[in-house]
Amino acid sequence: EHLKTEKIKPKQQQSMRHNPFGLLSFALINGNGNTIINQDIIMKRVDLIKKGGFVAGEHLKTEDVDVPKLADSELLIDVKASAINPVDWKMAEYGFLLPEELPAALGCDVAGVVEEGPDDMKGKRVVTYLGASKVSSKASRGAFVEKVAVDKDITFEIPDSMSFAQAASQPVGALTALLLLNALDGIKEGDWVLVWGASSSVGFNAVQLAKARGLKVIAVASAKHEKAIMDMGMDAFVDYRKGDAESAIAEVMKGAAGTKLNGAVDCIGSSDSFLTSAKAVKAHGDGALALTVSTVAFGLPDPPEGVKGHPVELGTALENAESRAAIIRDYPSVLKVKPQAIRSVKGKVSAEVVQEAFQISKDGVSGEKVVIEWDE
C-alpha cells in the first residue's frame, strides 16, 4: 500500500550519509554501490584572523572546515575539553609565536576521544599537548575545534577517574613544571627544593611532582592557598605576602636536620621571585654542588655568585628532540598528580565561547584553571 519494490537500471545517484566521524558526508555513488566522489561536510573551528585582541567576529572567527586528514604519525581526536592558558590570549593580543600570515590556530591543551588511528587506540580517552608556538603549525592544529589531528607519540590515555576537563587542565602547567625540575642540576632525593608560585598552574604541578621524586618542598604562595597546598603533603609553607620571605625560608631550614636547599623552581618569573629564590639557595644550599634556580622567564637579573639561573621554554619544546623525549618519558607521572580546580566555561565550538573563556583568564584566576567543556 505504502511501500513498493521497484527494479531500476544502474545509474548514478546522490546520497547523504554519515561518515566514520559522525558527520554528514556528500557522496556520489554509482549503480554498483561504488563511491565516485566523497566530500566530508564541515566541522567547526575557531581561528585567529586578526591580531590585537580576541573579540569574536573581529579577531576570532568561527569557521566551517573539513575534518583533518591524518598523516601516519597522527590520531584524530573528538575534542571534549580545551584548557585556556594565558599564552593563548596573549598571542592573540600581542601577535607573538604566530605565523606571518593568518588565520592561525590557538590553544595548547585538549582532551577527548580517539576517533581515527590504530585499532587499539580507537575509543580511548586521551589528553595531548599541541605546542604553544604556532609559527610553523597548520591552522588546524589548535585546541578550539571539534576535531583535531594530533601526534601519536605525545598523546596519553587518561585514567577513568579523571574527567576530560581535569585532563585538559594539565599539559602546559605540568610540562613546564617537569622542565623546571629537570633543570635542577645536582639536586637529589632527600634534598629540599623551593617552589615559588605554588598556587599557579605550573607551581601546583611542580610541588606534587617534586614530592613524587622524593624531594622536600617549601611551597611559596599566598595564605589563602596554604591549606590546599599543605593537604597535598608539602613539608613547609611560606606566605610571600607577609613580606620577609627570606627570613621565613631561613626559619624552615633551621630545622632541616643537615639537609640542604639545593635548588629552587620559580614559577612566576619576576625579578623579586627569582632573586629571592636565588638568595635562599645561596644561603641554604651546598656550595660544593651546582646550585640552580630554574625559572619561566628570560632576561632576569643575574643571581648571586655560585647560583645558576636556568630559564625554560615550553613553547618550542616539541621541536627539540631531547625535550620531546623527556615529555614522552615523564608525562605518565603527571597523570598521577591531583589536577587543579576547574573554572568551567560551557558551550558549542564558537568564537564567542572562546572569547568568554579568554576574558576570564585575562581578568585573573587564582588556584584555578579555566577550561572549556564543549557541548555535543
Side-chain angles (χ1 to χ4, degrees):
E1 182 182 352
H2 302 98
L3 301 176
K4 184 178 180 182
T5 303
E6 294 278 9
K7 291 184 178 181
I8 59 174
K9 294 181 180 179
K11 65 179 180 179
Q12 291 182 344
Q13 57 183 327
Q14 293 179 351
S15 171
M16 294 295 289
R17 62 183 178 81
H18 284 276
N19 69 8
F21 305 121
L23 301 173
L24 282 174
S25 294
F26 175 82
L28 186 62
I29 303 172
N30 66 17
N32 296 321
N34 298 319
T35 299
I36 301 172
I37 301 172
N38 185 12
Q39 176 62 51
D40 290 334
I41 290 184
I42 50 183
M43 68 176 192
K44 299 294 183 183
R45 186 180 77 203
V46 177
D47 288 349
L48 178 69
I49 59 171
K50 179 182 176 183
K51 301 173 186 177
F54 49 83
V55 176
E58 181 180 355
H59 306 98
L60 301 176
K61 185 179 179 183
T62 309
E63 299 279 14
D64 293 327
V65 298
D66 293 336
V67 172
K69 305 300 181 185
L70 299 183
D72 290 341
S73 61
E74 294 178 323
L75 305 169
L76 185 73
I77 293 180
D78 178 18
V79 180
K80 302 298 185 182
S82 307
I84 308 298
N85 296 284
V87 69
D88 300 332
W89 58 262
K90 288 180 180 179
M91 286 168 66
E93 285 204 337
Y94 305 121
F96 60 88
L97 295 178
L98 294 173
E100 290 185 6
E101 295 185 5
L102 299 180
L106 292 173
C108 312
D109 304 335
V110 299
V113 177
V114 177
E115 285 202 350
E116 287 296 314
D119 288 342
D120 63 346
M121 287 296 294
K122 289 180 181 178
K124 298 287 189 182
R125 302 168 68 251
V126 296
V127 62
T128 193
Y129 170 64
L130 300 172
S133 175
K134 306 299 182 182
V135 172
S136 58
S137 68
K138 298 176 288 187
S140 60
R141 188 58 75 93
F144 312 121
V145 63
E146 290 180 340
K147 301 177 191 296
V148 63
V150 304
D151 294 334
K152 292 178 188 175
D153 63 340
I154 52 170
T155 300
F156 305 93
E157 188 173 355
I158 60 179
D160 292 339
S161 60
M162 184 177 286
S163 70
F164 289 117
Q166 289 173 324
S169 75
Q170 291 186 312
V172 162
L175 292 174
T176 304
L178 287 171
L179 292 178
L180 289 166
L181 290 169
N182 290 345
L184 298 182
D185 299 325
I187 202 165
K188 63 185 185 302
E189 186 174 348
D191 284 349
W192 286 81
V193 65
L194 179 75
V195 178
W196 194 293
S199 66
S200 68
S201 177
V202 176
F204 190 84
N205 285 281
V207 293
Q208 296 183 80
L209 292 168
K211 287 297 295 181
R213 295 183 180 195
L215 301 175
K216 297 180 180 179
V217 177
I218 303 174
V220 181
S222 61
K224 68 179 180 178
H225 299 295
E226 180 174 1
K227 184 179 185 306
I229 291 170
M230 293 304 290
D231 283 349
M232 294 189 294
M234 299 307 111
D235 300 278
F237 183 89
V238 170
D239 178 6
Y240 74 94
R241 288 187 174 176
K242 286 186 176 179
D244 193 355
E246 284 185 64
S247 295
I249 294 167
E251 283 297 314
V252 173
M253 294 310 297
K254 278 183 182 179
T259 53
K260 298 291 186 177
L261 179 64
N262 291 327
V265 169
D266 169 25
C267 305
I268 303 301
S270 69
S271 295
D272 181 62
S273 61
F274 177 72
L275 286 178
T276 305
S277 299
K279 289 175 183 177
V281 169
K282 173 73 172 179
H284 308 291
D286 183 347
L289 298 176
L291 302 177
T292 306
V293 178
S294 55
T295 180
V296 294
F298 290 78
L300 294 172
D302 292 333
E305 185 177 353
V307 179
K308 180 178 71 173
H310 188 129
V312 302
E313 167 77 82
L314 180 60
T316 56
L318 295 183
E319 300 165 16
N320 178 279
E322 184 178 352
S323 57
R324 189 184 185 98
I327 288 172
I328 295 168
R329 180 193 69 218
D330 294 337
Y331 200 83
S333 66
V334 170
L335 297 171
K336 298 177 183 178
V337 306
K338 178 182 178 180
Q340 213 170 5
I342 303 298
R343 175 79 69 87
S344 180
V345 176
K346 296 185 178 182
K348 293 186 179 298
V349 174
S350 68
E352 289 76 14
V353 171
V354 175
Q355 177 185 339
E356 178 187 353
F358 277 12
Q359 191 63 55
I360 293 171
S361 177
K362 184 177 181 180
D363 290 344
V365 292
S366 181
E368 295 179 307
K369 186 81 170 187
V370 181
V371 178
I372 303 174
E373 298 182 84
W374 302 110
D375 291 342
E376 294 293 339

